[in-house]
Amino acid sequence: MTSVPSSDARAATRDITRLAVGVAVVLIVLKAFALGASGSVSILASLADSALDLVASLATFFAVRWAATPADDDHRYGHGKGEALAALVQSGLVFASAVFIGFEAIQRMFDPQPVSSGMTAVVVVVLSIGLTGWLIWMQSRAMRRSGSLAVAADRAHYASDLAANGVVLIGVISGTFLSAPGLDAAAGLLVSVWLFWGAVGILRNASDHLLDRAAPEEQRKVIVATVLADPRISGLHQLRTRMAGTVLMIQMHVDLDPGLTLVAAHDIVVEAEDRLRVAFPGSDILIHADPRGRTRPDDMAQAASANTGPWD
């Protein structure tokens, strides 16, 4: 989990999602041409996957723009979870693609069909691998700038496509030059299994965001160390973290000297928030000041039940 300046994240996600849609359209045109020429089941599998890629990329295209919409009266925490919803849609589409391809491949394994115009299919698959690899590289660059969950899901999808296209290439070559159409169908089945596994990963990441999974332990330790760097803060509890799109949400209670004035306590808390924003740019931070020794028992019980770490 990362947090980055929102303006940079928006620019990165807008650009890369537009590029992903364009690449998906080109891949569909290429593979449709190859399917018409060859009749390869592995090409059919790859074409079906690219069609779903387009739907998924369009969902991501619109989701990241909606997620970047500023908070309003009805969504006080913003619309960041729109990215997780887009990733959830993507996982469903990938699952559907895996089932369709697996069904078609099993049918062809029992009733093999010869692969014609194999060289055309090979050229198209090689071009698809090149385009997909380039898109993944661009998405990786965008991920370093944005930390977008929707882009990460799209990248994971295309990464599985890259490996799947490699399997398709083997299948087409086997069906064309080795006169083994059954291997072409088997390659399609391998693609379906690969897609299913990729969908599981996308679903897991989307669920983590929608269910407000806490930041990794390493990040929470950095948060604690950053806050406690000020000796005037003697402890913290009820640390809560979650991601809202690309924004890391941080909430906690800190223990301060009960003799401090309200202004002094406020200044200490603001300085702690500033240190956290340096460590986690673009994060949303809320710190509540408690007089040391005056923490309410129900607060401590709630912190313990949340299992937020040894600093509670």
Side-chain angles (χ1 to χ4, degrees), residues 57-148:
S57 292
L58 284 171
T60 302
F61 178 86
F62 291 109
V64 297
R65 284 155 178 75
W66 183 70
T69 305
D72 54 36
D73 290 340
D74 294 325
H75 304 88
R76 299 304 300 163
Y77 289 97
H79 303 79
K81 287 192 177 182
E83 293 198 11
L85 289 174
L88 197 63
V89 170
Q90 281 203 8
S91 68
L93 291 173
V94 178
F95 274 125
S97 178
V99 171
F100 168 74
I101 294 169
F103 178 76
E104 184 68 20
I106 290 173
Q107 281 192 319
R108 288 293 185 95
M109 289 179 73
F110 287 102
D111 182 24
Q113 300 293 325
V115 176
S116 58
S117 301
M119 185 53 69
T120 300
V122 168
V123 171
V124 167
V125 174
V126 170
L127 286 174
S128 298
I129 290 174
L131 273 174
T132 304
W134 174 68
L135 176 60
I136 292 170
W137 179 69
M138 295 295 291
Q139 287 175 322
S140 297
R141 292 182 58 190
M143 274 294 301
R144 288 193 290 270
R145 293 173 57 199
S146 71
S148 167

Side-chain angles (χ1 to χ4, degrees), residues 5-25:
S6 57
S7 59
D8 190 43
R10 285 195 294 269
T13 52
R14 279 197 302 266
D15 292 343
I16 198 61
T17 53
R18 188 182 299 114
L19 179 63
V21 170
V23 169
V25 170

